[in-house]
Amino acid sequence: MIRIKKILLALLILFVAIQFIQPAHNKSGQVSPTDFTKAFTVPQNLQNILQGACYDCHSNNTSYPWYSRIQPMAWILKRHIDNGKSKLNFSDFGSYTFRRQVSKLRGIANQVKDDEMPLASYKSMHEKANLNVDEKSLIVNWMNNTADSISLKN
């Protein structure tokens, strides 16, 4: 019994200690000149959908939930955000080559159409990420049309 109490006390001390190790937040506080909305004329309704469903993991400005201050959740969120930004960063989209922009636009359309994005784990905690049929259709059509437009110009 004493051994169990010592283990539980050690775990409690460890849990409290790791609370002081906080990763840096992904929050620049400004829209970069290479942001997706600067590179393209994005309709406001689409912009609102993207910001609510995509930008937390795929931009330099994450809106953090309350649990992001509790370890180990903050580390998990940081890893998730870093991974998302490495695949697609709306804040840097204008700096991508035209070929990469087309590829990313088509990838966004396909993943939304196939219900691969937003991730189910994200949708369970963020109501705005639960896209309805019309929102999905808007994203898919706009992304594909914009990709076609870029392809024709270049």
Side-chain angles (χ1 to χ4, degrees):
M1 188 66 158
I2 292 175
R3 183 179 173 131
I4 291 174
K5 285 184 181 180
K6 286 182 180 180
I7 291 171
L8 289 175
L9 179 62
L11 288 173
L12 177 64
I13 291 169
L14 179 64
F15 179 75
V16 170
I18 66 173
Q19 300 312 307
F20 295 100
I21 307 168
Q22 294 286 327
H25 275 199
N26 179 48
K27 195 130 185 113
S28 72
Q30 54 190 317
V31 177
S32 71
T34 57
D35 190 81
F36 185 76
T37 59
K38 302 281 185 185
F40 302 103
T41 305
V42 182
Q44 188 62 48
N45 58 343
L46 177 61
Q47 187 174 341
N48 292 341
I49 294 167
L50 294 176
Q51 287 174 338
C54 309
Y55 268 54
D56 279 347
C57 295
H58 295 285
S59 79
N60 294 337
N61 288 300
T62 299
S63 176
Y64 285 92
W66 64 269
Y67 55 84
S68 67
R69 297 263 182 218
I70 300 171
Q71 299 302 0
M73 283 306 298
W75 297 331
I76 294 167
L77 286 172
K78 175 154 178 38
R79 188 181 72 221
H80 187 85
I81 292 165
D82 289 347
N83 184 39
K85 284 175 52 177
S86 73
K87 295 192 173 32
L88 169 68
N89 189 340
F90 283 108
S91 297
D92 295 337
F93 202 91
S95 67
Y96 294 172
T97 64
F98 290 120
R99 184 176 179 186
R100 187 169 184 208
Q101 286 179 358
V102 169
S103 173
K104 294 297 179 185
L105 290 167
R106 295 208 191 285
I108 293 166
N110 288 332
Q111 289 197 336
V112 169
K113 182 182 70 173
D114 295 341
D115 209 25
E116 293 174 15
M117 281 287 160
L119 295 175
S121 59
Y122 185 78
K123 290 190 286 189
S124 69
M125 299 293 283
H126 298 87
E127 188 176 325
K128 289 181 180 179
N130 289 299
L131 304 174
N132 63 42
V133 173
D134 292 337
E135 291 169 328
K136 288 180 184 180
S137 179
L138 174 65
I139 293 170
V140 169
N141 290 333
W142 192 90
M143 296 296 171
N144 281 329
N145 290 339
T146 303
D148 291 343
S149 174
I150 293 171
S151 295
L152 290 175
K153 289 180 186 175
N154 297 301

